[in-house]
């Protein structure tokens, strides 16, 4: 970051950075339209679209009827006509009515028309737990999206990435499911909206912290958890590397495997269920590619395989620093099993 | 509320403060008698040129349906959902639109796409199984034939809405079957269209059955057109075998949409003469008597009677139309008999704008397999030659 930028930087939240990304995209390209439930006058239930209707009018930032399939389905038609819709699904578990449109049409329109009809749609989904939400307000639905070819699946963990990745998602000619970790909406960073740092494109992971003894592979809401765990592990003599995936599809095998080859050990950390969750896929990929470099099996630290628990119990479900550290301790497997 | 707090004698109940009717339902209600032109007084006003055009398209369409069905028997088409008996709906839907408008067909509406000018072979690409959509939707302004029922309806609304935002006087016509009206997407599309006053025409071909399920098991509504009223748009009922009537009703709905009047729901009462597809046994769910009654109300015969009565069609003209249709069928047969050339590497071509690392790896794997196969073929050919 240049000194000039650093001087301008002020604390900003992830929600503000996301809002700014939409605002900038809408200013630059009249084809960008925002639509969803309560996105207009209210500015979204998380205020992420705050002020957009005021600035760009109701035709550009539209309060739709309350119908997720209808929101995404009409966005398909809008994209067919040359617009770039940015759709807001109010909460993770309320995106399910739109799955039919997402899977049957959005993900495959480019393919079925042999490239003649790409759909540049961004589907923003606030996801994950940790905010004390009641039932249906805290699902981690990323595995469903990952299992659908034709979609990009992206999730930021930092304020800077929230801005940069959302700009890239809106500019993408392919549909992007943009998962917003809702417990990070209010996380702050010094960030300059007027000179945002260049952001790696969709599909690249970044090393958030370098280390030599093991790699924590993680994304979205679990990135801060892993950073904290890495700090804490220092006391135990572990020097952990943290890889933030940023994009689940496409998956950056290169960055992940380069890290694991260096450290020889890996733990995948996410909130989503372990069984059938993203961690299984990631562990398998790492094992297939780095087997000879591995000193221990790839471990997973995930949410339990249960429907998302009630708020008063969610702290027992969500993988926290201790569980990550326990897994790191288990990476001595090789030593013990001999 | 405690007992003491109960409203006493002084309390006079009033209506809820915010209530007033938003729309007068009366003008939205469909006339329960399906609108007809042919064989009625209205026919005298029908444009002879249009009637002749409809006639030629109906005859061609019927032949197309027969030819496509025959192609399934020869294994040239994986499946064909015939629209025999429904040709008037198909043709009128296509002819009610201007070039700049968009058609959103379901899987049964191949004929509408062909009547709109799509190459008959391209229109069969999906059903042939060589690729999903065989044409560029933008070129013809025909969305891909939609297989998941009613899911194309919100697309039509979104496109029409976008066109209006862009200041273009484009209309979208979206086709759906009677069964499809039970899907949630049907509801959401109509609701969005009415709220946004989107220039869309929803066209339901009520052909009596959703595969084997009759309309009575599909809905308890007085008619499918009546559903319009609940959304705040007009509903219209039309005789779906009367090409002139369907063309007129759809034409009015399109014109209304174009001048900013919002969406219309049109229900055409028609009948599917053939089975659901070539794979279906219709005798399991309906009797011959019913089919025969509908054959007597055949769309081609209705129009032929009208045209002959008005001296617009003689035997020569009928023969000419039949010959034109036969020539089209022969060309279709011939072209469909050529094996399509498919490129396996296309599998990875159009998944994303830019191939992902994962797909590049998989493409390399397939390429190696193909090369090995090629080597094997060459080897075998060499062996044969020896
Ligand atoms: C969402 C969905 N569910 C089920 C099917 C399987 N299916 C194909 S056609 C059909 C019946 C459709 O009937 P209708 O809407 O009346 O159209 P028609 O075939 O009569 O033209 C069914 C159930 C489907 N294509 N899509």
């Amino acid at each position: 970051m240049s000194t000039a930028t650093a001087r301008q930087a002020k604390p900003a939240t992830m929600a503000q950075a996301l809002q700014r990304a939409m605002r900038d995209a809408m200013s630059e390209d009249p084809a960008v339209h925002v639509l969803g439930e309560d996105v207009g006058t209210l500015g979204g239930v998380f205020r992420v679209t705050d002020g957009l209707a005021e600035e760009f009018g109701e035709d550009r930032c539209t309060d739709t009827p309350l119908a997720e399939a209808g929101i995404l389905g009409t966005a398909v038609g809008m994209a067919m006509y040359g617009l770039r819709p940015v759709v807001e699904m109010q909460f993770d578990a309320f995106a399910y009515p739109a799955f039919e449109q997402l899977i049957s049409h959005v993900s495959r329109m480019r393919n079925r028309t042999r490239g003649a009809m790409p759909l540049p749609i961004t589907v923003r989904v606030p996801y994950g737990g940790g905010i004390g939400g009641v039932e249906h307000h805290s699902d981690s639905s990323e595995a469903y999206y990952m299992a659908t070819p034709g979609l990009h699946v992206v999730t930021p963990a930092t304020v800077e990435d929230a801005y940069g990745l959302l700009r890239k998602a809106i500019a993408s000619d392919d549909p992007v499911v943009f998962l917003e970790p809702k417990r990070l909406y209010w996380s702050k960073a010094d960030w300059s909206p007027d000179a945002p740092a260049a952001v790696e494109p969709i599909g690249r992971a970044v090393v958030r912290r370098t280390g030599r003894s093991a790699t924590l592979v993680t994304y979205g809401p679990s990135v801060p958890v892993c950073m904290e765990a890495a700090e804490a592990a220092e006391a135990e003599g572990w020097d952990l590397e943290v890889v933030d995936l940023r994009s689940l599809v496409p998956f950056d095998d290169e960055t992940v495997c380069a890290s694991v080859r260096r450290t020889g050990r890996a733990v995948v950390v996410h909130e989503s269920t372990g069984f059938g969750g993203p961690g299984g896929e990631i562990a398998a990929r790492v094992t297939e590619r780095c087997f000879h470099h591995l000193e221990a099996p790839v471990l997973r630290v995930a949410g339990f395989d249960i429907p998302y628990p009630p708020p008063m119990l969610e702290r027992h479900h969500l993988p926290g620093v201790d569980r990550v550290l326990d897994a790191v301790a288990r990476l001595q497997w090789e030593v013990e099993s001999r | 509320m405690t007992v003491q707090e109960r409203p006493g004698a002084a309390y006079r109940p009033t209506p809820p403060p915010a209530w007033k009717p938003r729309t007068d339902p009366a003008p939205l209600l469909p006339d329960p008698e399906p609108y007809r032109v042919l064989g009625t007084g209205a026919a005298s006003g029908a444009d002879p040129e249009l009637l002749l055009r409809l006639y030629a398209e109906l005859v061609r369409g019927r032949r197309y349906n027969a030819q496509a069905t025959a192609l399934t028997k020869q294994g040239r088409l994986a499946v064909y959902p015939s629209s025999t008996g429904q040709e008037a709906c198909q043709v009128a839907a296509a002819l009610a639109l201007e070039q700049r408008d968009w058609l959103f067909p379901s899987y049964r509406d191949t004929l509408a796409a062909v009547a709109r000018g799509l190459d008959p072979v391209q229109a069969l690409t999906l059903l042939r199984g060589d690729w999903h959509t065989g044409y560029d939707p933008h070129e013809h302004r025909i969305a891909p034939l939609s297989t998941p029922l009613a899911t194309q309806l919100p697309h039509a609304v979104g496109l029409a809405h976008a066109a209006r935002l862009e200041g273009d006087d484009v209309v979208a016509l979206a086709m759906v079957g009677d069964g499809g009206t039970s899907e949630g997407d049907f509801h959401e599309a109509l609701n969005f269209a009415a709220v946004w006053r989107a220039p869309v025409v929803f066209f339901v071909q009520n052909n009596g059955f959703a595969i084997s399920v009759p309309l009575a098991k599909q809905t308890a509504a007085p008619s499918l057109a009546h559903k319009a009223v609940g959304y705040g748009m007009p509903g219209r009922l039309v005789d779906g075998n009367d090409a002139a009537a369907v063309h007129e009703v759809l034409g009015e709905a399109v014109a209304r949409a174009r001048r900013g009047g919002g969406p219309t729901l049109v229900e055409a009462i028609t009948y599917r003469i053939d089975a659901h597809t070539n794979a279906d046994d219709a005798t399991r769910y309906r009797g011959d008597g019913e089919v025969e009654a509908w054959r007597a109300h055949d769309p081609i015969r209705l129009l032929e009677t009208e045209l002959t009565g008005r001296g617009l069609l003689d035997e020569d003209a009928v023969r000419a139309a039949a010959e034109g249709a036969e020539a089209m069928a022969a060309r279709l047969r011939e072209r469909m008999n050529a094996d399509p050339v498919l490129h396996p590497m296309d599998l990875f071509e159009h998944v994303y704008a830019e191939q992902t690392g994962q797909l590049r790896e998989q493409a390399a794997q397939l390429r190696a397999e193909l090369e090995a196969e090629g080597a094997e073929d060459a080897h075998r050919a060499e062996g044969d030659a020896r």
Side-chain angles (χ1 to χ4, degrees):
Chain A
M1 203 190 276
S2 74
T3 35
T5 327
R7 239 182 284 122
Q8 288 166 340
K10 284 202 298 272
T13 64
M14 182 180 277
Q16 286 166 335
L18 292 165
Q19 185 264 14
R20 181 63 189 239
M22 281 182 273
R23 207 174 112 204
D24 288 355
M26 290 172 92
S27 303
E28 283 172 26
D29 183 355
V32 178
H33 284 240
V34 169
L35 59 157
E37 295 157 12
D38 305 292
V39 298
T41 310
L42 184 66
V45 293
F46 293 104
R47 304 292 181 272
V48 178
T49 57
D50 202 13
L52 297 179
E54 220 172 328
E55 186 171 347
F56 298 98
E58 285 180 23
D59 283 348
R60 297 278 306 279
C61 179
T62 308
D63 278 331
T64 63
L66 215 164
E68 292 74 15
I71 295 168
L72 190 52
T74 50
V76 170
M78 291 167 76
M80 282 179 171
Y81 204 75
L83 301 185
R84 303 186 90 85
V86 180
V87 157
E88 178 173 303
M89 294 287 152
Q90 202 156 65
F91 280 90
D92 30 47
F94 306 139
Y96 302 143
F99 264 42
E100 221 280 320
Q101 284 293 336
L102 190 74
I103 288 159
S104 297
H105 293 291
V106 174
S107 67
R108 62 179 79 191
M109 191 64 86
R110 170 188 289 281
N111 188 249
R112 71 205 282 220
T113 62
R114 305 182 105 165
M117 194 170 251
L119 294 179
I121 299 174
T122 304
V123 185
R124 294 181 35 242
V125 188
Y127 85 117
I131 63 157
V134 294
E135 200 183 10
H136 304 298
H137 290 75
S138 297
D139 281 9
S140 294
S141 34
E142 58 268 35
Y144 306 133
Y145 301 112
M146 285 172 72
T148 305
L151 302 175
H152 290 301
V153 184
V154 165
T155 176
T158 67
V159 172
E160 206 157 81
D161 258 4
Y163 178 87
L165 281 175
L166 186 52
R167 289 302 304 270
K168 293 229 158 32
I170 296 171
S172 168
D173 284 334
D174 284 319
V176 179
V177 175
F178 193 88
L179 299 169
E180 300 174 359
K182 58 174 102 69
R183 69 162 135 147
L184 299 185
Y185 269 146
W186 304 281
S187 66
K188 282 187 181 170
D190 284 344
W191 179 70
S192 165
D194 297 313
V199 163
E200 290 280 322
I202 288 174
R204 298 256 178 81
V206 297
V207 177
R208 293 273 172 225
R209 183 187 199 280
T210 53
R212 285 171 295 107
S213 34
T215 302
L216 302 179
V217 183
T218 188
Y219 57 87
S222 296
V223 171
V225 175
C226 287
M227 294 298 280
E228 203 183 320
E231 297 278 311
E234 272 180 19
E236 313 278 327
W238 285 92
D239 178 18
L240 297 179
E241 183 148 310
V242 177
V243 175
D244 173 3
L245 292 173
R246 304 168 73 253
S247 160
L248 295 167
V249 183
F251 187 83
D252 186 353
D253 289 298
E254 213 175 298
T255 303
V256 172
C257 290
S259 171
V260 175
R261 287 191 188 113
R262 268 196 308 274
T263 63
R265 294 176 168 86
V267 181
V268 187
V269 183
H270 60 59
E271 287 185 12
S272 167
T273 53
F275 190 84
E281 173 63 31
I282 296 166
R285 301 186 81 80
V286 168
T287 307
E288 283 173 356
R289 285 166 174 75
C290 312
F291 183 70
H292 294 293
H293 298 263
L294 286 173
E295 307 280 347
V298 180
L299 300 181
R300 285 171 292 166
V301 176
F304 294 130
D305 299 327
I306 55 171
Y308 200 87
M312 292 170 87
L313 293 173
E314 70 177 343
R315 69 189 176 85
H316 300 290
H317 167 73
L318 292 173
V321 171
D322 288 347
R323 254 179 229 160
V324 177
L325 292 175
D326 281 351
V328 169
R330 274 189 288 137
L331 286 174
Q332 299 182 48
W333 172 87
E334 178 224 22
V335 183
E336 284 165 10
S337 62
R338 268 192 196 148
Chain B
M1 199 193 286
T2 64
V3 175
Q4 286 87 341
E5 280 169 346
R6 248 192 215 152
Y11 178 78
R12 266 191 203 84
T14 54
W19 167 250
K20 64 175 172 27
R22 283 173 296 276
T23 314
D24 176 9
L28 306 180
L29 278 165
D31 185 337
E33 193 57 43
Y35 180 68
R36 290 170 56 222
V37 168
L38 302 178
T40 73
S44 57
D47 170 20
E49 216 168 288
L50 172 72
L51 294 184
L52 284 168
R53 171 107 198 269
L54 288 169
Y55 179 75
E57 289 289 347
L58 286 185
V59 172
R60 245 163 57 95
R62 168 98 15 124
R63 188 66 191 87
Y64 184 90
N65 275 327
Q67 185 58 61
T69 302
L71 285 166
T72 62
K73 298 198 178 99
Q74 294 150 21
R76 283 291 174 185
L77 271 185
V79 67
Y80 185 71
S82 165
S83 58
T84 295
Q86 301 178 220
E87 293 95 341
C89 295
Q90 299 283 309
V91 164
L95 299 194
L97 296 177
E98 302 284 340
Q99 191 87 43
R100 63 187 178 287
D101 297 331
W102 273 77
L103 182 74
F104 286 79
S106 82
Y107 62 90
R108 195 180 294 287
D109 304 317
T110 332
L111 207 58
V114 173
R116 187 163 165 73
L118 185 63
D119 174 348
V121 172
Q122 283 189 337
L124 291 174
T125 315
L126 170 85
L127 301 162
R128 187 187 207 180
D130 81 354
W131 199 259
H132 302 314
T133 304
Y135 52 92
D136 178 349
H138 291 286
E139 188 187 335
H140 303 277
R141 301 210 153 193
I142 303 172
L145 301 169
S146 181
T147 307
L149 297 166
T151 52
Q152 79 280 20
L153 306 181
H155 305 172
V157 178
L159 181 132
H161 174 64
R164 204 164 64 118
L165 291 178
E166 302 283 84
D168 303 336
D169 66 343
V170 166
V171 175
L173 190 154
M175 304 176 76
V176 65
D178 43 296
T181 65
S182 301
E183 290 280 357
D185 278 26
F186 173 83
H187 157 67
E188 297 190 24
L190 266 74
N191 192 48
F192 269 68
V195 171
W196 285 352
R197 280 180 86 80
V200 189
V201 178
F202 298 100
F203 184 35
V204 182
Q205 292 170 83
N206 172 5
N207 65 7
F209 293 90
I211 307 187
S212 65
V213 180
L215 189 68
K217 288 190 185 170
Q218 200 67 246
T219 179
S223 80
L224 297 172
H226 274 85
K227 295 194 173 203
V229 186
Y231 297 101
M233 71 174 80
R236 296 287 173 255
L237 265 166
V238 61
D239 180 342
N241 287 18
D242 180 337
V246 183
H247 186 270
E248 188 182 322
V249 170
L250 289 181
E252 276 169 11
V254 167
R256 198 179 105 84
R258 205 184 303 288
R259 58 170 190 265
T264 306
L265 173 63
V266 178
E267 175 186 358
I269 309 299
T270 184
Y271 196 80
R272 195 190 72 212
I273 295 291
D274 288 344
H276 171 64
T277 67
N278 52 299
D280 168 42
D281 175 11
T283 61
R284 291 181 69 119
Y285 54 85
R286 67 187 192 185
D288 291 345
E290 182 179 310
V291 183
E292 286 320 306
W294 275 96
R295 277 191 202 280
H297 191 62
D298 182 78
I300 299 184
R301 215 166 106 192
L302 283 176
L303 190 51
E304 217 169 68
T305 309
E306 177 73 36
L307 286 167
T308 317
R310 281 170 69 177
L312 294 167
L313 199 70
D314 55 17
E315 265 177 42
D316 287 344
V318 171
R319 202 178 313 111
E323 281 168 8
E326 207 46 57
M328 177 276 306
R331 269 197 308 280
L332 180 61
R333 241 183 352 254
E334 191 186 318
R335 291 176 64 200
M336 290 293 288
N337 275 333
D339 288 324
V341 183
L342 296 175
H343 302 285
M345 295 314 294
D346 266 11
L347 287 175
F348 302 101
E349 228 15 73
H350 302 292
V351 184
Y352 297 100
E354 211 178 299
Q355 246 172 36
T356 59
Q358 288 79 55
L359 288 182
R360 272 196 301 276
E361 273 177 24
Q362 291 163 27
Q365 179 197 336
L366 180 62
R367 197 175 301 112
E369 284 172 13
L370 292 172
E371 272 160 22
E373 250 175 47
E376 213 168 89
D377 286 348
H379 203 67
R380 220 178 286 133
E382 212 175 295
D384 290 346
R386 260 193 232 131

